[in-house]
């Protein structure tokens, strides 16, 4: 579903700017995950893609930021703040 949304937006966007096939390929690879294992990530990406103000040229950076943020949030839950002193 997310793959289809990305491709549709890239094909229909009036001015792709610097966004090219390589960027499209990287974006599709970033979201190439099983739905069950990455539901939070994919739902955030879907929201970004569906936002009419988000241009395809911004996808690559935004997807990477979401991935990094969710990675840190996942490990932040496991940290014991008592051990930081």
């Amino acid at each position: 579903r997310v793959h289809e949304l990305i491709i549709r937006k890239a094909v229909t966007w009036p001015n792709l700017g610097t966004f090219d096939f390589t960027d499209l390929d990287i974006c599709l690879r970033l979201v190439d995950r099983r739905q069950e294992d990455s539901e939070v990530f994919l739902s955030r990406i879907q929201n970004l893609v569906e936002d009419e103000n988000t241009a395809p040229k911004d996808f690559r950076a935004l997807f990477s930021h979401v991935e990094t943020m969710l990675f840190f949030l996942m490990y932040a839950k496991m940290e014991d703040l008592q051990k930081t002193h």
Side-chain angles (χ1 to χ4, degrees), residues 37-54:
D37 298 336
S38 303
E39 195 169 321
V40 172
F41 174 77
L42 292 174
S43 68
R44 297 296 182 262
I45 297 301
Q46 182 173 341
N47 288 341
L48 287 170
V49 175
E50 289 176 337
D51 184 340
E52 60 188 43
N53 296 315
T54 305

Side-chain angles (χ1 to χ4, degrees), residues 1 3 7 10 12 14 23 32 39 44 51 53 61-63 65 67 71 78 82-83:
R1 170 91 176 120
H3 291 86
I7 292 169
T12 60
D23 294 317
D32 196 18
E39 195 169 321
R44 297 296 182 262
D51 184 340
N53 296 315
L62 290 171
F63 294 1
H65 289 307
E67 183 176 46
F71 174 82
M78 297 179 206
Q82 297 298 326
K83 293 181 180 181

Side-chain angles (χ1 to χ4, degrees), residues 3 6 9 14 21 29 36 38 40 53 67 73 76 81 84:
H3 291 86
I6 293 169
K9 190 155 192 177
F21 180 78
R29 288 174 191 253
E36 309 85 50
S38 303
V40 172
N53 296 315
E67 183 176 46
L73 288 173
L81 294 179
T84 60

